[in-house]
Amino acid sequence: MDPKSGGPCQGIRNTIPAMKKHGIINEVVCLDSPDCGWLGKDDFEIHALGPAENVWRYSSRLIPFLLENAPKFDAIIAHGMWLYPDYAVSKALKKLNGSDPNPGSLPRWYIMPHGMLDPYFQKSPERKWKAMRNDIYWKFIEHKVVSSADGLLFTCEEEKRLAAQPFRPYKPAKEINVGYGIQEPPAREAVNHEAFYSDYPPLKNKPFMLFLSRIHQKKGLDLLIEAYESLKDDFEESTIPNLVIAGPGLESPFGKDCEKTVLGSEFLRNRVIFTGMLSGDKKWGA
């Protein structure tokens, strides 16, 4: 649930208040460390059972927590795939089903892939070894987890369509396009702009283009930078707005490659601004 980890945790933060308006109460279980600095800032309960171990994100505390608490809920949604949490939900509910004299009383459970079944991850050349790993993991573990769930929840119809392409067998009980929604922006106020311009005064009252996203190859930032640089071939350089790149991930290998590209070009170096992750007033100001 670390805000820097990307869209899914923000999506959870957006949907929980909306569901609350319909009388649906949510609690979140995550494998972050209980001493994370961002904990305690949300108005819903978060059970931090980490820190998780190894690349599989294993935690010995998760299954015992689920065995004790799962029967209290009407539904469980596992956000994301390929890691220990969705496997743990499947295993815990299977164990509860075997010991419950009334298994129909147990919660339904769903997996929300958040794009993690996109064929891109199996076809992208730089992911060759990870794609092979996914094929093996799907064959022995993940397809069984998916089949055991009551359904897959998708953010849009296109994600649902693409999810059926890369793996076999693929037999989810249901495929449901639930949509995702967008957080309503606050009223446009001077305080938002001032919060942003206080860090970047040269941009004040000047047009600029904004890339607002996690810095990851799938987002196409390298293509954007290349296209932006090509503007100098068709326009007077003095008329080209700055490019502001806002989001976490600059320290990743891909982020460093993008930064290297910018630093290696005089045109880009003088016009592209990396802000890192923006939140609150600074984000809305940008």
Side-chain angles (χ1 to χ4, degrees):
M1 288 294 288
D2 186 342
K4 292 183 179 179
S5 65
C9 65
Q10 183 59 47
I12 293 170
R13 288 184 167 93
N14 290 350
T15 54
I16 285 179
M19 295 172 76
K20 189 175 182 180
K21 294 178 182 178
H22 297 278
I24 301 170
I25 304 303
N26 285 261
E27 295 183 19
V28 174
V29 183
C30 65
L31 300 184
D32 297 291
S33 174
D35 59 3
C36 285
W38 48 263
L39 277 172
K41 297 180 181 179
D42 295 285
D43 59 359
F44 52 87
E45 189 164 5
I46 297 179
H47 306 273
L49 304 182
E53 303 173 19
N54 60 51
V55 294
W56 197 34
R57 308 298 291 166
Y58 171 80
S59 169
S60 61
R61 299 174 62 193
L62 182 54
I63 286 183
F65 177 92
L66 292 169
L67 291 174
E68 180 180 353
N69 293 281
K72 303 174 186 177
F73 294 90
D74 299 303
I76 295 174
I77 300 175
H79 290 268
M81 299 178 65
W82 306 112
L83 298 173
Y84 180 68
D86 64 329
Y87 169 81
V89 175
S90 176
K91 188 173 181 179
L93 290 179
K94 183 178 181 180
K95 189 170 184 178
L96 286 171
N97 262 312
S99 61
D100 192 335
N102 183 21
S105 65
L106 293 176
R108 292 175 179 266
W109 86 280
Y110 302 88
I111 301 171
M112 196 162 188
H114 291 279
M116 295 180 189
L117 290 176
D118 194 309
Y120 161 86
F121 294 110
Q122 296 305 104
K123 295 180 179 179
S124 185
E126 72 279 357
R127 288 184 53 85
K128 179 180 178 181
W129 296 110
K130 290 183 178 180
M132 291 175 62
R133 175 202 64 190
N134 286 355
D135 282 331
I136 295 170
Y137 190 83
W138 179 270
K139 180 178 180 180
F140 290 101
I141 298 177
E142 196 72 356
H143 90 270
K144 298 176 183 177
V145 174
V146 168
S147 297
S148 72
D150 289 289
L152 298 183
L153 307 180
F154 296 101
T155 61
C156 64
E157 196 65 28
E158 180 69 357
E159 185 199 357
K160 185 177 83 168
R161 184 185 70 82
L162 291 173
Q165 296 181 12
F167 300 105
R168 294 292 181 272
Y170 177 75
K171 298 178 180 179
K174 288 185 178 179
E175 298 169 273
I176 309 168
N177 172 19
V178 296
Y180 209 22
I182 281 182
Q183 184 180 13
E184 187 72 21
R188 189 183 184 100
E189 296 181 359
V191 65
N192 304 133
H193 298 288
E194 290 307 318
F196 176 70
Y197 290 139
S198 65
D199 286 352
Y200 305 99
L203 294 173
K204 190 169 185 178
N205 299 324
K206 293 182 180 179
F208 61 86
M209 301 183 223
L210 176 66
F211 173 91
L212 183 65
S213 175
R214 183 167 55 96
I215 295 175
H216 185 278
Q217 187 156 4
K218 193 172 188 290
K219 310 296 184 179
L221 178 58
D222 51 341
L223 305 179
L224 173 62
I225 292 173
E226 180 183 344
Y228 177 74
E229 186 173 25
S230 73
L231 294 178
K232 70 180 189 297
D233 300 328
D234 299 307
F235 300 94
E236 290 290 333
E237 291 190 14
S238 61
T239 67
I240 300 174
N242 287 88
L243 173 61
V244 175
I245 297 173
L250 190 59
E251 73 287 347
S252 67
F254 175 73
K256 290 178 180 177
D257 284 344
C258 290
E259 189 176 34
K260 184 178 178 180
T261 298
V262 169
L263 294 175
S265 163
E266 183 179 358
F267 171 82
L268 295 173
R269 190 165 59 245
N270 293 329
R271 288 170 176 78
V272 177
I273 299 171
F274 291 97
T275 69
M277 180 175 172
L278 296 177
S279 60
D281 287 341
K282 291 181 181 181
K283 179 186 78 171
W284 294 115

